[in-house]
């Protein structure tokens, strides 16, 4: 394993213009030869955008393969990317929402989707005024990749937390505006925990709702992270405050508002999402379905 780590770290030190040559090769193999999860990707796109003709679905799918290939090499690059390069390549817009939350004395829950490239957000820990920045991650079966990705997410002053421990950590921590927690919030719950679902992208969608418990029990600031790929190797993330309709969030309100914002993002840039993910595989296991249009 140490040898593999050294190889990956060596590759990550290569300039991105070189790594993108690898990306082009991965794209060619995936798109033209292997057809990686082609049926899953195609069906997800057709179900999500039933109004789009076959030709447009095919075009989006091809662009997805390119973006996905870039994501793979950019993830390797994150092993050694410097803070300076990370801040140049990821532009953070509307940072004042973090200062507002700190002035209000409210800790922050950041909600992002699997929009490329969410893995490059780590350097924002050096930008926002909060002292503690916690990327939330899911444990993986491989100890090797678990350790590597945790190390990557702990760069630049971050304090990564595993998903099973983060909710209790938030409840036990002082709500003083000094902490920010970043969830990739469109995760698919384990089949045993598919309790709530809503209509998202024209489909019955199981929704992860752990952060909803926080919204109804604590006075926290919720922020949506809207990702945009400007061009190859350069991204923007625009931060939007999610506010309740009343004095405080009602049950599942923040979940519905997050999914609505993410849906709007995907309609603008549909090729920049992780369509190979089997997000809808447990839709028949939903116990409580919210039929209200988001």
């Amino acid at each position: 394993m140490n040898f593999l780590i050294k190889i990956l770290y060596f590759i990550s030190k290569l300039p991105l213009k070189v790594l993108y040559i690898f990306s082009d090769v991965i794209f060619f193999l995936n798109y033209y030869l292997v057809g990686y999860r082609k049926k899953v990707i195609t069906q997800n796109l057709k179900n999500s955008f039933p109004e789009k003709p076959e030709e447009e679905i095919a075009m989006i799918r091809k662009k997805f393969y390119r973006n996905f290939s870039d994501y793979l090499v950019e993830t390797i690059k994150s092993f050694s990317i410097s803070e300076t390069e990370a801040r140049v390549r990821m532009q953070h817009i509307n940072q004042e929402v973090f200062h507002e939350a700190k002035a209000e004395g409210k800790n922050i829950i950041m909600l992002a989707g699997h929009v490329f490239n969410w893995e490059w957000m780590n350097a924002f820990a050096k930008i926002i005024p909060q002292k503690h920045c916690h990327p939330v991650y899911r444990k993986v079966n491989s100890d090797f990749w678990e350790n590597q990705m945790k190390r990557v997410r702990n760069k630049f002053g971050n304090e990564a937390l595993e998903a099973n421990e983060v909710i209790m950590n938030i409840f036990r921590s002082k709500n003083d505006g000094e902490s920010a927690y970043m969830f990739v919030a469109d995760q698919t719950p384990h089949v045993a925990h598919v309790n709530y679902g809503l209509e998202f992208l024209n489909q019955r969608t199981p929704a992860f709702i752990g952060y909803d418990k926080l919204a109804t029990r604590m006075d926290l600031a919720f922020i949506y992270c809207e990702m945009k790929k400007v061009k190859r190797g350069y991204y923007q993330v625009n931060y939007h405050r999610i506010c309740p309709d009343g004095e405080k969030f009602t049950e599942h309100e923040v979940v519905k508002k997050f999914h609505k914002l993410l849906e709007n993002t995907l309609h603008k840039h549909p090729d920049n999402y992780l369509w190979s993910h089997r997000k809808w595989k447990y839709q028949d296991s939903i116990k409580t379905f919210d039929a209200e249009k988001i």
Side-chain angles (χ1 to χ4, degrees):
M1 286 299 183
N2 288 334
F3 178 73
L4 180 56
I5 292 171
K6 290 178 181 179
I7 292 294
L8 288 173
Y9 188 77
F10 171 78
I11 294 173
S12 75
K13 297 288 284 185
L14 297 172
L16 267 171
K17 63 181 180 181
V18 176
L19 290 177
Y20 284 137
I21 297 174
F22 288 102
S23 174
D24 291 339
V25 173
I26 294 169
F27 163 72
F28 180 84
L29 294 174
N30 266 345
Y31 184 74
Y32 289 105
L33 299 180
V34 179
Y36 171 72
R37 291 193 176 181
K38 184 177 180 180
K39 289 184 179 179
V40 173
I41 296 163
T42 303
Q43 196 59 55
N44 282 345
L45 287 170
K46 285 183 175 181
N47 291 343
S48 299
F49 307 107
E51 76 284 359
K52 294 186 183 297
E54 292 278 351
E55 295 80 6
E56 189 173 357
I57 293 293
M59 180 187 68
I60 294 170
R61 184 179 62 214
K62 186 174 184 178
K63 287 182 177 180
F64 158 77
Y65 275 107
R66 288 197 177 278
N67 289 331
F68 180 66
S69 301
D70 283 354
Y71 159 75
L72 293 176
V73 300
E74 287 167 0
T75 299
I76 292 174
K77 183 64 180 178
S78 65
F79 288 9
S80 64
I81 194 169
S82 68
E83 179 188 341
T84 300
E85 185 172 9
R87 291 178 66 166
V88 168
R89 293 188 175 279
M90 178 69 78
Q91 184 181 11
H92 300 266
I93 301 173
N94 197 23
Q95 297 175 34
E96 55 263 32
V97 294
F98 295 97
H99 294 273
E100 291 169 2
K102 183 171 182 177
E104 295 168 13
K106 296 179 181 180
N107 288 342
I108 294 168
I109 305 297
M110 302 167 63
L111 303 175
H114 281 93
V115 180
F116 303 127
N117 188 341
W118 71 92
E119 293 288 0
W120 272 11
M121 288 183 63
N122 283 343
F124 79 95
K126 295 290 189 179
I127 298 171
I128 61 176
Q130 282 69 29
K131 291 181 181 178
H132 307 288
C133 189
H134 303 283
V136 179
Y137 69 95
R138 265 189 175 181
K139 201 171 187 67
V140 296
N141 292 328
S142 167
D143 289 339
F144 170 76
W145 286 111
E146 169 85 10
N147 293 333
Q148 294 314 301
M149 294 314 297
K150 187 172 182 178
R151 184 176 65 82
V152 167
R153 286 166 183 156
N154 275 335
K155 291 179 68 171
F156 312 127
N158 288 307
E159 304 162 55
L161 291 171
E162 206 276 321
N164 290 332
E165 64 186 15
V166 66
I167 301 296
M168 191 57 65
N169 181 284
I170 295 171
F171 279 130
R172 290 175 176 172
S173 298
K174 185 178 180 181
N175 187 16
D176 57 1
E178 292 291 357
S179 296
Y181 301 82
M182 202 278 276
F183 289 77
V184 181
D186 61 338
Q187 297 276 7
T188 300
H190 187 276
V191 64
H193 301 118
V194 178
N195 296 314
Y196 173 80
L198 74 174
E199 186 175 314
F200 170 67
L201 291 173
N202 299 296
Q203 299 167 80
R204 289 170 58 94
T205 305
F208 170 72
I209 58 173
Y211 57 90
D212 186 70
K213 299 174 184 178
L214 303 169
T216 55
R217 298 181 191 179
M218 297 181 69
D219 190 16
L220 302 168
F222 285 79
I223 294 174
Y224 173 61
C225 311
E226 183 176 25
M227 303 290 297
K228 177 184 176 182
K229 186 172 186 176
V230 180
K231 61 180 181 178
R232 199 175 209 185
Y234 292 90
Y235 298 85
Q236 288 179 349
V237 54
N238 197 348
Y239 299 104
H240 305 276
R241 185 81 174 259
I242 303 175
C243 298
D245 290 335
E247 290 187 8
K248 62 179 183 177
F249 285 106
T250 58
E251 187 179 24
H252 300 144
E253 182 182 0
V254 70
V255 179
K256 289 188 280 189
K257 288 189 172 184
F258 161 70
H259 280 85
K260 180 61 177 176
L261 288 164
L262 179 58
E263 188 173 84
N264 290 340
T265 298
L266 300 184
H267 275 286
K268 287 185 285 187
H269 306 287
D271 55 285
N272 212 35
Y273 189 60
L274 191 61
W275 294 109
S276 56
H277 180 48
R278 292 187 171 95
K279 182 171 179 59
W280 291 277
K281 62 182 176 180
Y282 298 139
Q283 59 181 220
D284 293 334
S285 300
I286 295 171
K287 297 178 180 67
T288 302
F289 178 69
D290 192 335
E292 182 182 356
K293 192 76 174 177
I294 63 172

